[in-house]
Amino acid sequence: MSKNVAQVLVEVLESAGVKNIYGVVGDTLNYVTDAIAKSNISWVHMRHEEVGAFAAGAESYVSGTLAGCAGSCGPGSLHLINGVYEAHRSRIPLIVIASQMETATLGTDMPQEVDFKKVFSDCSVFCEQINNAEQARRLAVMACQAAISRQGPAVLILPVDISKTEIKDDVPYSVHFPKPVRRPNDHELKQAADIIAQGKKIGIYAGMGAEGAHDLLIAVAKKLNAPIAHTSRAKDFVEYENPYNVGMTGLLGVHSGFHMMNSCDTLILLGADFAWGQFYPQHAKIIQIDRDAARLGRRHPINLGLEGDVIPSLEALLPLLTEKSDDSFLQECLKERADTLSGLEKQEVPGDAGSIHPEYLTKLIDKYASEDAILTGDCGSAMVWVLRHFKANGKRRTLLSLRHGTMANAMPMALGLKKAFPNRQVISLSGDGGLSMLMGDLLTIRQENLPIKIVVLHNSSLNFVELEMKTEGLLN
């Protein structure tokens, strides 16, 4: 039986695990939304496509399954771009359907004509237009495969005349879900163990790539008497139930994390691509393990760069490590950590004259939030309070725009997360500036009956920008 291209596309997305597609309906997208309506995928009608892209990225990031977003020709799909950049910078698999005008009109400067391949190529791992209806299943599978394997947005540009074309669809291309095991070779691991054996003040710096490696990190830290600092994106996976944790470094970090990074003589970087070179130790030997060898040594000079996933790499490295009995550096760093936490607690006090300190507010959110709550925070001061005053416990999740650094992300991300996890408490810590940018989709939250807790930091300013200006001496 023949099908149209839109139906084939939706079938492929369904087979790839897509449950929700977020977007705004429009003329060139109509055959796609019609096919979605006849499938098991839910169409979530948004007020703004940017919110849809944020929501889809958040769902995919936390759920571990593909989600999608879609827009109509011209301005419709252009509105997706900021949320797509967010997914690209954060390496989140995402399917983007950019519907397009009829192929016969392309290249003639028609109203609403946009070269989407040029627009999206910079923020995707795959970007192709379906120019021939018979390509539909093959390109849709390639898009899903790229999003899954290369960890980023895959964009399919679909002209409306192609979307409604009937085809046989008799070649069984299908999506696969590989789970490779990547680790350095034995000689490289021996080199790493030899460098670590020479160290007197060994530190571990864990990034997003350490997801799932919590117990291994602690086993390595115990054997080496090594404190563990972590990037902001690794907070959920490293911070909890960790007697070796000394927190974050960097602009959003705390003193104890900064102290460890600056005082160690040997540093093991694990799945960390922390961008600010000035916060790396200047005189330590550095070993970096990353699943993408292109990231080795790009932020700061290193002594040994190894390609591999953190879990299998540590499993192979752990037996090779020489146990360290001297815990003086660890105790020094843990003392700094205790002092840092004491200082943070002193900030968690009520305000006066009717004001509410944001540190105190976030502490109360931490106190009363569910055991498996998900908290999103807007870019700016809200993300500082989330990172410093909301505790990880191994079940909670936090989601911020840490690599792309966009305003207005918190509420849209919360929308997608609540759609994906209806039985978990979802909280958005929004800035007044951020919420006001995209608040039209409060109507979508009501439409979808999503009981999201939205907390607004009302400071009548773009607070983080104000702090930056004061630091530069541009404001009194």
Side-chain angles (χ1 to χ4, degrees):
M1 186 178 72
S2 65
K3 309 165 187 173
N4 67 36
V5 165
Q7 291 172 311
V8 172
L9 170 59
V10 170
E11 281 184 14
V12 171
L13 298 185
E14 201 169 353
S15 73
V18 174
K19 294 181 173 60
N20 297 303
I21 297 177
Y22 304 78
V24 178
V25 296
D27 49 2
T28 57
L29 192 61
N30 288 344
Y31 286 90
V32 175
T33 53
D34 181 66
I36 292 171
K38 298 171 183 175
S39 74
N40 292 318
I41 297 175
S42 294
W43 171 259
V44 186
H45 174 64
M46 312 301 295
R47 270 62 187 179
H48 197 299
E49 292 90 346
E50 181 180 352
V51 179
F54 278 132
E59 176 182 335
S60 180
Y61 176 77
V62 178
S63 72
T65 58
L66 271 179
C69 57
S72 58
C73 66
S77 288
L78 275 180
H79 282 160
L80 296 168
I81 192 72
N82 196 39
V84 176
Y85 259 104
E86 170 66 33
H88 182 61
R89 299 300 300 276
S90 299
R91 306 185 189 106
I92 298 172
L94 180 67
I95 292 296
V96 181
I97 303 170
S99 68
Q100 182 60 287
M101 303 172 69
E102 290 191 2
T103 52
T105 66
L106 296 178
T108 64
D109 195 26
M110 287 288 288
Q112 293 194 315
E113 181 182 354
V114 173
D115 185 347
F116 285 135
K117 190 163 184 177
K118 185 180 295 183
V119 168
F120 285 105
S121 289
D122 190 50
C123 58
S124 62
V125 296
F126 178 96
C127 183
E128 294 293 342
Q129 179 168 303
I130 302 177
N131 293 308
N132 185 308
E134 298 299 329
Q135 296 177 300
R137 178 172 291 272
R138 186 178 186 180
L139 285 179
V141 167
M142 288 174 65
C144 293
Q145 204 69 65
I148 293 165
S149 301
R150 297 177 62 192
Q151 299 288 287
V155 181
L156 278 170
I157 304 163
L158 180 58
V160 62
D161 55 318
I162 300 290
S163 73
K164 63 185 179 182
T165 300
E166 299 280 327
I167 58 173
K168 291 182 180 179
D169 187 38
D170 53 3
V171 182
Y173 293 103
S174 60
V175 181
H176 300 277
F177 303 87
K179 300 290 183 183
V181 176
R182 304 182 186 90
R183 75 163 180 84
N185 65 49
D186 292 345
H187 174 68
E188 291 173 322
L189 290 170
K190 179 66 165 56
Q191 284 182 288
D194 289 345
I195 292 173
I196 294 168
Q198 297 169 21
K200 304 298 183 185
K201 297 181 176 182
I202 303 166
I204 297 170
Y205 190 47
M208 183 67 193
E211 180 179 1
H214 177 272
D215 292 349
L216 271 171
L217 285 172
I218 290 178
V220 172
K222 181 178 181 181
K223 195 167 187 178
L224 299 176
N225 272 315
I228 303 174
H230 59 84
T231 65
S232 47
R233 296 179 74 216
K235 170 185 170 72
D236 296 350
F237 317 119
V238 178
E239 182 179 274
Y240 70 97
E241 296 177 7
N242 184 349
Y244 302 91
N245 178 48
V246 294
M248 303 172 296
T249 188
L251 181 64
L252 306 180
V254 292
H255 176 73
S256 53
F258 177 82
H259 174 82
M260 187 282 280
M261 293 282 283
N262 273 271
S263 303
C264 66
D265 64 17
T266 307
L267 183 65
I268 309 170
L269 293 177
L270 298 172
D273 189 35
F274 183 67
W276 288 271
Q278 66 267 37
F279 290 101
Y280 285 80
Q282 299 305 307
H283 304 292
K285 292 182 178 179
I286 300 178
I287 299 165
Q288 183 178 3
I289 301 176
D290 199 289
R291 67 179 301 174
D292 183 354
R295 295 197 284 261
L296 296 175
R298 72 171 180 171
R299 305 302 189 184
H300 189 277
I302 61 175
N303 297 85
L304 181 64
L306 306 177
E307 181 176 0
D309 289 319
V310 171
I311 292 175
S313 298
L314 288 186
E315 287 174 339
L317 179 62
L318 184 58
L320 305 178
L321 296 175
T322 302
E323 189 164 357
K324 300 285 186 178
S325 58
D326 183 358
D327 69 346
S328 57
F329 181 58
L330 172 63
Q331 295 306 319
E332 172 192 325
C333 291
L334 292 178
K335 169 69 166 56
E336 293 288 343
R337 178 62 173 169
D339 292 344
T340 297
L341 291 176
S342 176
L344 291 175
E345 288 175 6
K346 290 176 181 177
Q347 299 171 17
E348 298 170 346
V349 294
D352 50 29
S355 66
I356 303 172
H357 288 172
E359 300 94 329
Y360 178 65
L361 171 64
T362 311
K363 178 64 177 179
L364 292 179
I365 294 173
D366 174 70
K367 179 179 179 180
Y368 293 108
S370 299
E371 188 179 41
D372 65 346
I374 308 174
L375 176 63
T376 65
D378 265 336
C379 185
S381 58
M383 65 187 181
V384 179
W385 315 136
V386 171
L387 291 169
R388 294 183 181 178
H389 300 279
F390 187 78
K391 291 184 174 63
N393 63 4
K395 297 179 181 178
R396 289 175 169 178
R397 293 299 303 271
T398 57
L399 185 52
L400 310 164
S401 179
L402 287 163
R403 287 184 57 84
H404 187 43
T406 178
M407 286 181 63
N409 61 286
M411 180 273 287
M413 288 175 169
L415 190 159
L417 291 168
K418 191 62 179 179
K419 189 70 179 176
F421 299 99
N423 297 320
R424 291 178 69 171
Q425 185 180 66
V426 177
I427 307 163
S428 168
L429 185 59
S430 300
D432 48 3
L435 183 65
S436 64
M437 289 180 75
L438 293 172
M439 64 190 303
D441 275 279
L442 293 174
L443 296 173
T444 305
I445 291 174
R446 180 66 185 89
Q447 161 196 298
E448 297 294 318
N449 294 315
L450 301 174
I452 299 166
K453 312 288 190 292
I454 300 176
V455 181
V456 183
L457 297 173
H458 176 48
N459 47 45
S460 301
S461 70
L462 301 180
N463 188 238
F464 203 74
V465 176
E466 183 180 12
L467 292 173
E468 290 173 334
M469 295 175 77
K470 286 180 177 178
T471 300
E472 296 293 329
L474 300 175
L475 282 178
N476 294 326

